[in-house]
């Protein structure tokens, strides 16, 4: 099903429920994630072709539809809303404030409309003229007045700007504000978005309609709001007379601020970050699975927190969400589920429970060496059993020894671990051999395990490096951090541990307690009575400290000096200024010297801090 079919389905559902205004997401006709394809004339041409097909049918009769597509006006590309009604175009509204930070690069493709509160004639392409019999339509910053009300358009980023268009529109008598968005999922972002929408209607009155993208469009972001359905339509019946335009008539109900549709704040439920971690990446993983046409996922289990979070929850939650859609008999989800597990189109297969479905699409492997412990091997095995994955267990010492022997044969020098008298260079090289061999094995198993199980196709390899380690550079290039996609790569270790604590009870997986209590370790060096490798000891800082460094560096844009001054206030009660300075210097030293590793990072769900920069 393509974007045209999704748009038509959403209009049909809206009309079936009696709606007279339908608002779709930003750039819904081509899809928000076209990237440099927006610069191609073909993308604009095909968008007009789809719009012509929509207008040629009876779908827009009796309903105002707010559609999104790129439009070229006077040889300049604009991100536009096209307002249609009764098979006619009423208005083309270009975006005035473009998103150009974080994950967004709209200025690369589009130009903002700078003529605020002005409009021009736009001459329609012949393909549209043939359908609508119109020659030109208004193009610019306009509103639509009807017999009953007045409708104004606001696009995504414009809600977040200080000079939001809803302010002058509301003062000019607009009662219905529409916002078509392509806003990605990010931890703790929903509350901010709702507060901004509330603020718009609390001051000006009226009704605010907000529509967001669903899916991932092959971008490293989640736009789907915790649903596996391709089309989600929310409708509401309102009485325009109930929404007075003066701020004095629209306010508190017994001391509590009201949302535009009469939903008080205490009735709205915001997911906790740990719940969002369970929901967002699961939808992202489902999209990748269905679009890539692969047979499932493969992840190397280390017995640690990160691979546990990837395997036990982000993936285990996929079949849980899928099962909910199956209960609702969602045709698209049922068809996707059958294809993914290798069933024929006419099969009657439906997953019996999450573990059964997980066993068919999810594959795990513990790749041990002489440096691995029985505890991590056992934790990996018990987690695989708990979630129902197809699990393999192996020792790769023969591979490691072969590589060492080859190097010794060629150079005449045999590297040793530090525990055996080797230098730091020898010790690091021997650790990296193990890590990189695991990546090679991961891709081999991902390609051949479906064949072993009598199925066609391959698996996508999941990475499990968290954002803190990526920011500092505590990882080996081209080890298991190099994968096809990484569902936890935008999440800090601190949030991951909270998530696992939540999932222990929410998913009824008591095995997770052992992961939380275990010391994080790479298990790449020999263990002795006096030494056991620890991630935090290797990094020279704790994961809690690293999460703080990441927030200050990326979110608050701190350099070394400003970070030091902020931490003096945060940590001054238990660390001296000299100790704080040493920690800040160490972080920026490691951050700078490991920038080259950022070029190899796997695409992630940017739920929080984005690694680059």
């Amino acid at each position: 099903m393509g974007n045209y079919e999704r748009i038509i389905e959403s209009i049909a559902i809206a009309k079936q429920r009696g709606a007279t205004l339908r608002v779709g997401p930003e750039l819904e006709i081509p899809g928000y994630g076209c990237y440099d394809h927006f610069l191609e004339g073909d993308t604009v041409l095909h968008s007009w072709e789809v719009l012509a097909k929509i207008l040629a049918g009876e779908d827009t009769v009796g309903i105002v539809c707010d559609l999104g597509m790129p439009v070229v006006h006077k040889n300049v590309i604009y991100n536009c809303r096209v307002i249609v009604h009764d098979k006619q175009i009423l208005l083309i509204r270009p975006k005035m404030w473009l998103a150009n930070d974080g994950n967004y690069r709209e200025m690369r493709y589009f130009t903002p409309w700078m003529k605020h509160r002005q409009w021009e004639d736009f001459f329609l392409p012949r393909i549209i003229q043939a359908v609508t019999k119109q020659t030109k339509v208004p193009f610019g910053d306009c509103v639509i007045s009807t017999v009953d009300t007045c409708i104004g358009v606001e696009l995504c980023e414009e809600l977040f700007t200080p000079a939001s268009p809803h302010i002058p529109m509301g003062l000019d008598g607009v009662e219905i504000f529409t916002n078509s968005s392509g806003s990605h999922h990010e931890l703790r972002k929903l509350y901010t978005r709702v507060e901004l929408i509330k603020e718009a209607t609390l001051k000006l009155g009226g009704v605010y309609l907000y529509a967001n993208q669903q899916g991932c469009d092959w971008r490293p972001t989640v736009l789907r709001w915790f649903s596996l359905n391709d089309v989600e339509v929310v409708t509401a019946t309102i009485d325009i007379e109930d929404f007075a335009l003066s701020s004095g008539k629209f306010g508190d109900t017994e001391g509590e601020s009201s949302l535009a549709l009469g939903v008080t704040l205490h009735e709205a439920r915001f997911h906790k970050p740990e719940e969002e971690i369970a929901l967002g990446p699961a939808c992202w993983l489902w999209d990748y699975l269905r679009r890539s046409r692969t047979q499932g996922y493969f992840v190397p289990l280390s017995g640690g927190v990160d691979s546990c979070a990837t395997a036990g929850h982000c993936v285990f939650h996929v079949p849980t969400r899928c099962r909910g859609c199956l209960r609702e008999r969602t045709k698209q989800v049922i068809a996707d589920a059958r294809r993914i597990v290798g069933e024929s189109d006419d099969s009657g297969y439906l997953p019996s429970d999450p573990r059964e479905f997980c066993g068919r699409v999810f594959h795990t492997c513990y790749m041990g060496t002489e440096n691995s412990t029985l505890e991590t091997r056992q934790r990996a095995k018990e987690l695989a059993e708990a979630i129902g994955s197809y699990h393999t267990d192996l020792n790769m010492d023969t591979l490691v020894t072969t590589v060492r022997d080859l190097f010794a044969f060629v150079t005449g020098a045999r590297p040793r671990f530090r525990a055996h008298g080797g230098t730091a260079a020898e010790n690091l090289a021997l650790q990296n051999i193990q890590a990189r061999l695991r990546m090679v094995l991961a891709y081999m198993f991902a390609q051949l395990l479906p064949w072993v199980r009598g199925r066609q196709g391959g698996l996508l390899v999941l990475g499990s490096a968290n954002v803190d380690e990526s920011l500092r550079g505590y990882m080996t290039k081209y080890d298991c951090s190099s994968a096809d996609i990484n569902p936890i790569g935008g999440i800090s270790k601190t949030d991951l541990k909270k998530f696992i604590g939540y999932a222990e009870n929410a998913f009824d997986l008591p095995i997770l307690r052992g992961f939380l209590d275990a010391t994080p370790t790479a298990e790449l060096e020999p263990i002795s009575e006096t030494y056991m490798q620890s991630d935090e000891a290797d990094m020279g800082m704790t994961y809690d400290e690293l999460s703080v460094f990441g927030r200050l560096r990326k979110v608050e844009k701190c350099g070394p000096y400003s970070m030091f001054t902020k931490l003096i206030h945060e940590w001054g009660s238990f660390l001296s200024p000299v100790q704080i300075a040493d920690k800040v210097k160490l972080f920026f030293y490691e951050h700078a010297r490991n920038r080259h590793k950022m070029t190899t990072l796997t695409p992630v769900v940017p739920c929080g801090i984005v690694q680059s920069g």
Side-chain angles (χ1 to χ4, degrees):
M1 183 166 65
N3 289 345
Y4 166 77
E5 288 79 12
R6 296 184 184 99
I7 292 169
I8 295 301
E9 181 179 343
S10 69
I11 296 174
I13 294 173
K15 291 178 71 173
Q16 182 183 17
R17 297 177 183 176
T20 54
L21 171 60
R22 176 266 185 199
V23 181
E26 188 173 10
L27 293 167
E28 62 180 315
I29 289 179
Y32 187 89
C34 288
Y35 286 106
D36 280 4
H37 293 293
F38 283 124
L39 302 175
E40 300 171 2
D42 285 4
T43 303
V44 178
L45 171 63
H46 296 325
S47 295
W48 282 118
E49 289 173 342
V50 171
L51 180 61
K53 191 175 180 181
I54 293 172
L55 293 172
E58 300 297 316
D59 304 281
T60 62
V61 174
I63 186 170
V64 176
C65 293
D66 184 344
L67 306 167
M69 59 177 278
V71 175
V72 178
H73 178 57
K74 294 183 177 179
N75 294 325
V76 178
I77 305 176
Y78 294 96
N79 177 350
C80 295
R81 304 305 300 174
V82 181
I83 315 301
V84 303
H85 177 253
D86 281 349
K87 307 169 75 170
Q88 297 283 294
I89 296 177
L90 305 180
L91 165 69
I92 300 177
R93 161 54 157 90
K95 193 171 183 178
M96 297 186 291
W97 300 89
L98 300 181
N100 210 53
D101 61 343
N103 298 305
Y104 298 96
R105 296 291 182 271
E106 291 184 7
M107 292 286 285
R108 179 180 174 90
Y109 324 115
F110 304 113
T111 298
W113 178 254
M114 303 302 294
K115 301 177 182 180
H116 295 190
R117 309 186 80 169
Q118 299 179 48
W119 65 275
E120 299 173 355
D121 284 330
F122 177 84
F123 289 86
L124 294 167
R126 287 190 294 269
I127 189 174
I128 299 295
Q129 292 184 31
V131 174
T132 67
K133 309 305 179 185
Q134 297 171 282
T135 303
K136 59 185 180 180
V137 295
F139 183 101
D141 182 13
C142 304
V143 299
I144 298 174
S145 293
T146 71
V147 174
D148 301 314
T149 187
C150 188
I151 304 170
V153 177
E154 190 164 70
L155 271 81
C156 194
E157 180 71 12
E158 295 174 353
L159 173 64
F160 293 82
T161 60
S164 295
H166 67 254
I167 298 173
M169 286 193 299
L171 294 174
D172 271 351
V174 171
E175 297 175 318
I176 299 176
F177 307 91
T178 69
N179 187 312
S180 303
S181 181
S183 187
H184 72 285
H185 166 242
E186 184 178 302
L187 300 184
R188 307 172 179 89
K189 185 179 180 182
L190 179 60
Y191 181 81
T192 301
R193 186 181 292 106
V194 171
E195 287 297 302
L196 288 170
I197 294 172
K198 281 177 52 188
E199 179 266 344
T201 53
L202 283 171
K203 288 193 304 183
L204 301 165
V207 182
Y208 204 101
L209 280 74
Y210 181 88
N212 197 35
Q213 289 271 5
Q214 291 208 140
C216 64
D217 268 347
W218 289 111
R219 308 193 313 149
T221 53
V222 178
L223 296 168
R224 184 185 297 280
W225 291 103
F226 308 155
S227 169
L228 302 187
N229 296 323
D230 275 356
V231 177
E232 294 277 354
V233 179
V234 178
T235 56
T237 302
I238 61 172
D239 186 343
I240 297 297
E241 299 298 327
D242 289 342
F243 297 94
L245 296 183
S246 66
S247 57
K249 295 181 181 178
F250 188 89
D252 293 345
T253 303
E254 298 181 354
E256 290 200 286
S257 300
S258 298
L259 290 165
L261 295 180
V263 180
T264 55
L265 183 59
H266 75 271
E267 293 175 337
R269 179 181 181 275
F270 296 95
H271 291 289
K272 297 178 181 177
E274 46 267 36
E275 292 178 288
E276 292 185 275
I277 293 172
L279 296 166
C283 296
W284 187 72
L285 286 167
W286 178 257
D287 256 352
Y288 261 93
L289 195 57
R290 62 197 288 259
R291 291 168 185 254
S292 65
R293 299 286 169 171
T294 51
Q295 303 302 304
Y297 287 116
F298 178 90
V299 64
L301 284 182
S302 67
V305 166
D306 293 334
S307 62
C308 163
T310 299
H313 312 107
C314 292
V315 173
F316 183 60
H317 201 67
V318 171
T320 303
R321 301 294 295 174
C322 179
R323 189 185 181 197
C325 292
L326 294 175
R327 282 198 299 265
E328 299 169 7
R329 309 296 296 182
T330 306
K331 292 181 179 179
Q332 185 63 51
V333 177
I334 292 173
D336 288 334
R338 288 173 179 167
R339 180 191 55 77
I340 289 168
V341 300
E343 297 287 343
S344 61
D345 294 339
D346 57 355
S347 168
Y349 168 78
L350 292 174
S352 57
D353 63 70
R355 292 184 76 256
E356 183 271 335
F357 189 70
C358 198
R360 299 185 68 161
V361 302
F362 189 46
H363 305 69
T364 55
C365 180
Y366 182 84
M367 304 180 188
T369 68
E370 61 184 359
N371 302 316
S372 304
T373 62
L374 292 175
E375 288 79 7
T376 55
R377 186 185 296 271
Q378 186 63 27
R379 281 201 300 271
K381 179 183 177 182
E382 291 178 0
L383 176 61
E385 291 175 350
I387 65 177
S389 66
Y390 182 88
H391 186 64
T392 51
D393 189 310
L394 61 88
N395 283 317
M396 45 181 274
D397 289 318
T398 53
L399 291 177
V400 177
T401 302
T402 300
V403 174
R404 291 178 69 181
D405 290 344
L406 175 63
F407 182 87
F409 175 77
V410 173
T411 65
R414 187 175 186 82
R416 297 175 296 172
F417 283 106
R418 180 168 44 199
H420 300 153
T423 63
E426 295 172 71
N427 192 66
L428 182 59
L430 290 177
Q431 292 184 68
N432 288 344
I433 288 171
Q434 301 167 69
R436 289 179 176 131
L437 284 174
R438 284 179 174 139
M439 186 205 70
V440 175
L441 287 175
Y443 273 95
M444 181 179 181
F445 274 68
Q447 286 184 297
L448 293 178
L449 277 182
W451 168 72
V452 170
R453 304 182 69 184
R455 295 166 58 187
Q456 300 294 321
L459 308 172
L460 288 175
V461 178
L462 296 182
S464 53
N466 63 68
V467 69
D468 297 329
E469 294 170 345
S470 300
L471 193 64
R472 185 202 175 277
Y474 181 67
M475 61 182 189
T476 302
K477 285 175 75 171
Y478 305 114
D479 68 347
C480 284
S481 63
S482 296
D484 293 314
I485 52 177
N486 182 356
I488 67 166
I491 306 172
S492 72
K493 191 84 163 190
T494 303
D495 280 334
L496 280 177
K497 293 176 77 171
K498 292 178 181 177
F499 162 61
I500 291 176
Y502 154 80
E504 178 185 2
N505 297 319
F507 300 157
D508 191 23
L509 293 171
I511 177 61
L512 301 183
R513 178 51 50 185
F515 287 86
L516 285 175
D517 295 338
T519 301
T521 174
E523 291 193 337
L524 296 174
E525 292 185 73
I527 301 171
S528 67
E529 294 181 358
T530 58
Y531 177 76
M532 180 176 178
Q533 189 176 18
S534 165
D535 290 351
E536 293 184 336
D538 286 349
M539 292 190 298
M541 60 190 73
T542 67
Y543 277 108
D544 288 341
E545 291 171 344
L546 190 52
S547 292
V548 173
F549 290 142
R551 171 177 56 82
L552 293 176
R553 166 69 185 89
K554 190 62 183 178
V555 179
E556 300 189 23
K557 308 294 190 295
C558 289
Y561 177 73
S562 55
M563 184 180 290
F564 169 75
T565 57
K566 286 180 179 290
L567 289 177
I568 283 290
H569 295 284
E570 290 189 32
W571 294 352
S573 60
F574 53 89
L575 290 176
S576 69
V578 173
Q579 290 173 312
I580 295 173
D582 288 342
K583 288 180 179 292
V584 172
K585 290 176 185 177
L586 176 61
F587 169 75
F588 274 97
Y589 170 76
E590 296 293 347
H591 175 77
R593 79 183 185 97
N594 286 306
R595 286 304 83 200
H596 62 96
K597 296 183 179 180
M598 297 298 98
T599 62
T600 67
L601 285 184
T602 300
V604 306
V605 185
C607 294
I609 302 170
V610 182
Q611 312 100 308
S612 60

